[in-house]
Amino acid sequence: MLSSKDRAYLRGLANNLETILTVGRGGVTDATAADAANALRVRELIKGQVLETAPETAREAAEALAQALDAEVVQVIGRRFVLYKRNPEEPKIELGGRR
């Protein structure tokens, strides 16, 4: 579980990220989850978007992906969302209290 300070720090880092994941009209699929899992393993922090044609909201898509991938929803704004998952083998982002 992320603390409010960790979440604020990750939101700041996410400002400069490009959107690399798109949830389209098919919704959150196995392929979308696999893409997100690969990206999280490499980057730890990713930004996604949900198209207007998607059957779920950005919050629903982010929560579904986070649950499927054991990740954390950092924020949801409009149609965009940010996910975080620490890579236990090669951490790239140091959060307070985690060493």
Side-chain angles (χ1 to χ4, degrees):
M1 197 71 166
L2 293 173
S3 71
S4 59
K5 285 185 180 185
D6 291 342
R7 199 173 298 278
Y9 175 68
L10 291 171
R11 280 195 308 263
L13 292 177
N15 282 338
N16 298 323
L17 292 181
E18 289 186 34
T19 303
I20 62 166
L21 184 70
T22 302
V23 177
R25 117 176 94 144
V28 176
T29 63
D30 290 342
T32 306
D35 289 346
N38 290 334
L40 284 168
R41 187 172 37 260
V42 173
R43 300 172 183 228
E44 293 187 327
L45 189 67
I46 62 170
K47 188 183 286 186
Q49 71 176 348
V50 176
L51 300 179
E52 288 184 23
T53 56
E56 59 255 297
T57 66
R59 170 68 61 190
E60 292 166 342
E63 293 288 346
L65 284 168
Q67 184 175 3
L69 304 174
D70 193 28
E72 298 275 349
V73 177
V74 175
Q75 76 176 6
V76 177
I77 297 178
R79 297 194 169 276
R80 298 195 190 282
F81 60 88
V82 178
L83 298 177
Y84 169 77
K85 182 175 181 181
R86 184 175 187 268
N87 182 333
E89 296 165 12
E90 296 179 36
K92 299 195 179 358
I93 301 171
E94 279 299 323
L95 298 177
R98 291 192 186 172
R99 296 274 173 231

